[in-house]
Amino acid sequence: MIQFENVSKRFDDGTTAVKSVNLTINQGEFFVLIGPSGSGKTTTLKMINRLINISDGTIFINGKKISDYDIHELRWNIGYVLQQIALFPHMTIEENIAVVPEMKKWNKEKIGKRVDELLEMVGLEPKVYKPRKPIELSGGQQQRIGVVRALAADPEIILMDEPFSALDPISREKLQDDILKLQKTIKKTIVFVTHDMQEALKLGDRICIMKDGEIVQVGTPNELIYHPINDFVREFIGKTDRTALHFNLEVVLSNTNEDNIDEKMKILTVHSSLEQTLEALAEQDQIGVEKDGKLIGTVTRQSLIQHLSSSLKEGEYQ
Ligand code: ADP
Ligand code: MG
């Protein structure tokens, strides 16, 4: 858990980049910081691993002040991914990924296994890619290496600063899917900076909207969309495609009896989009729902229509 208590940052030139931020980021949460350029997102992120010193207030990680951690221990236990990842150009991909595990003095065998596992996780064949130099990879592949490098030593927290913004839309979409899948399996705490609302809504368990160094609103994607606290949030969210949003299928279950699920039924995870759900229910009048790998019940065409109908009355999905 990461806690900000009245955290401010004033740079030497007098710029106040972050103003009295209070924030709790939960263990295992995908937490997104979003806001216009200059709103203090990067500064907020870099204070967590002490790349930037705090001027006022305190940040705690698992209840301990970050200033009380040994700085190396802190950095090694926090993965960090930048927009333009700087892979070491003269090192192979294998060596690049192994940097932090080597600093942590893992043995060769453990490092070797970890590198293979990580490359497989992001769909890059270890035999082919391990000996290559960064320049022999596409931009999207390099960025993928940047992401797995940050995961290499199994950090508890991963900080990502606009990691996909330099990518073409297809690689970007693919990496977003990868990181979502990864997050579901590794259950790390991820703090992710972006200025793209679609990306924030797709990835975030919760989203924190910043403006001029201050927090404007923190909430789940649904809370921000349906209960924006002011015009700034409303405009920032703008015209997002709401059917593409992930929503909680648990609220639409027609029953919670897994015995009702038969083999022919299509199974969706509990966090699917409305679009995916509608597509599935266009083909079958009933689908199964799974959560954390367990089947939890079924959604019928009728239960979804009822849900949509009452949501429409409450002004949602408009
Ligand atoms: P964002 O990541 O949201 O674009 P930043 O956290 O990078 O915003 O910057 C917030 C504010 O702090 C901006 O006004 C920026 O110009 C200023 N700033 C960032 N780094 C420094 C620095 N090293 N010295 C002075 N001002 C800075
Ligand atoms: Mg920034």
Side-chain angles (χ1 to χ4, degrees):
M1 190 163 79
I2 308 169
Q3 284 163 293
F4 283 69
E5 238 178 54
N6 294 315
V7 173
S8 298
K9 176 63 191 180
R10 259 181 326 278
F11 285 106
D12 291 343
D13 68 354
T15 310
T16 305
V18 173
K19 297 174 194 157
S20 221
V21 161
N22 287 292
L23 197 59
T24 299
I25 300 168
N26 300 313
Q27 183 85 38
E29 185 170 39
F30 203 124
F31 192 86
V32 176
L33 289 171
I34 191 167
S37 174
S39 56
K41 306 179 296 291
T42 295
T43 306
T44 301
L45 199 72
K46 283 184 170 174
M47 286 191 290
I48 299 174
N49 63 357
R50 287 171 56 188
L51 283 173
I52 291 181
N53 291 323
I54 302 169
S55 308
D56 269 314
T58 318
I59 299 177
F60 299 90
I61 295 180
N62 296 334
K64 180 168 157 183
K65 286 185 189 174
I66 55 169
S67 53
D68 289 346
Y69 281 89
D70 170 73
I71 184 108
H72 301 293
E73 187 198 347
L74 186 80
R75 298 260 172 85
W76 293 347
N77 288 311
I78 300 180
Y80 186 47
V81 188
L82 293 161
Q83 177 179 356
Q84 292 291 354
I85 48 134
L87 295 177
F88 300 109
H90 303 298
M91 292 187 188
T92 64
I93 295 307
E94 177 172 25
E95 288 161 348
N96 265 283
I97 298 174
V99 169
V100 179
E102 267 174 11
M103 287 196 284
K104 287 179 111 176
K105 304 213 181 326
W106 287 17
N107 70 42
K108 272 210 153 48
E109 197 193 331
K110 185 171 171 191
I111 295 178
K113 260 169 82 179
R114 183 67 178 152
V115 170
D116 286 1
E117 175 185 280
L118 288 163
L119 284 170
E120 274 161 17
M121 221 149 66
V122 290
L124 297 170
E125 168 61 40
K127 273 206 189 66
V128 177
Y129 288 95
K130 275 197 299 195
R132 289 204 187 172
K133 294 279 171 63
I135 199 169
E136 297 166 306
L137 268 63
S138 73
Q141 290 171 333
Q142 288 185 32
Q143 201 66 11
R144 229 168 280 174
I145 301 302
V147 172
V148 299
R149 184 174 66 172
L151 300 175
D154 213 16
E156 219 180 292
I157 297 169
I158 300 148
L159 309 177
M160 306 181 92
D161 197 350
E162 310 210 19
F164 308 146
S165 60
L167 299 176
D168 62 277
I170 293 170
S171 311
R172 185 175 186 158
E173 188 97 1
K174 169 87 178 64
L175 267 175
Q176 289 170 347
D177 294 340
D178 281 354
I179 195 78
L180 263 184
K181 226 188 293 161
L182 272 179
Q183 157 76 357
K184 297 282 174 262
T185 39
I186 59 179
K187 299 214 162 63
K188 302 289 180 186
T189 308
I190 298 182
V191 189
F192 188 103
V193 168
T194 181
H195 59 257
D196 174 350
M197 193 42 112
Q198 283 293 358
E199 183 165 84
L201 293 168
K202 175 172 176 181
L203 299 176
D205 292 320
R206 282 191 307 151
I207 298 167
C208 171
I209 302 188
M210 295 187 71
K211 179 174 181 266
D212 302 331
E214 291 176 303
I215 293 177
V216 184
Q217 186 171 3
V218 181
T220 62
N222 278 332
E223 281 163 3
L224 296 182
I225 289 173
Y226 301 120
H227 308 286
I229 64 154
N230 59 24
D231 286 344
F232 177 76
V233 175
R234 203 168 289 123
E235 271 165 38
F236 209 77
I237 286 171
K239 292 188 175 38
T240 44
D241 175 4
R242 283 160 201 202
T243 62
L245 292 180
H246 290 238
F247 77 122
N248 188 352
L249 274 175
E250 226 166 344
V251 301
V252 204
L253 289 180
S254 61
N255 70 70
T256 52
N257 187 350
E258 61 176 275
D259 297 338
N260 289 342
I261 302 173
D262 70 52
E263 296 131 47
K264 281 178 254 122
M265 257 185 222
K266 198 164 175 157
I267 308 289
L268 290 187
T269 63
V270 73
H271 293 291
S272 294
S273 67
L274 179 59
E275 189 182 20
Q276 289 165 333
T277 313
L278 287 169
E279 267 170 22
L281 284 172
E283 286 167 25
Q284 303 183 335
D285 51 352
Q286 204 173 168
I287 55 171
V289 178
E290 72 157 29
K291 182 183 181 182
D292 299 330
K294 282 201 204 89
L295 296 171
I296 59 167
T298 58
V299 170
T300 59
R301 232 175 248 168
Q302 197 186 10
S303 68
L304 185 69
I305 290 170
Q306 270 165 1
H307 169 76
L308 289 177
S309 152
S310 55
S311 300
L312 280 171
K313 282 185 201 134
E314 287 161 20
E316 297 185 3
Y317 298 117
Q318 285 177 14

